[in-house]
Amino acid sequence: MNNPLNTKPVPPADDDCCGGGSCSPCVWDQYYADLTQWQQQTENREDTRQSPLFSQQSKENTYR
């Protein structure tokens, strides 16, 4: 499950996982990989918003 839209991934439903441990990758493995990617994207976006350059550009665009 690729997450290009920066939306938080939804955990699999209880019946999506067989519980047998033989699936590779398990739906939970994919969920946690997507969740990690989403968290990193969120952190990167927050870091960008807090950078002085981003703040300056935002102000400049506001006054145009």
Side-chain angles (χ1 to χ4, degrees), residues 3 6-10 23 26 31 35 39 41 55 61 63:
N3 198 10
N6 265 343
T7 56
K8 187 174 183 178
V10 177
C23 299
C26 174
Y31 167 72
L35 183 62
Q39 289 170 332
Q41 290 171 345
S55 297
N61 289 335
Y63 298 114

Side-chain angles (χ1 to χ4, degrees), residues 19-63:
S22 62
C23 299
S24 182
C26 174
V27 294
W28 285 102
D29 294 334
Q30 188 62 54
Y31 167 72
Y32 287 121
D34 291 344
L35 183 62
T36 299
Q37 179 183 4
W38 175 81
Q39 289 170 332
Q40 290 171 345
Q41 290 171 345
T42 302
E43 289 171 6
N44 290 341
R45 188 173 54 224
E46 288 173 1
D47 289 345
T48 301
R49 286 183 180 163
Q50 292 175 3
S51 79
L53 181 58
F54 181 82
S55 297
Q56 181 64 30
Q57 288 174 345
S58 294
K59 289 176 186 176
E60 289 173 2
N61 289 335
T62 302
Y63 298 114

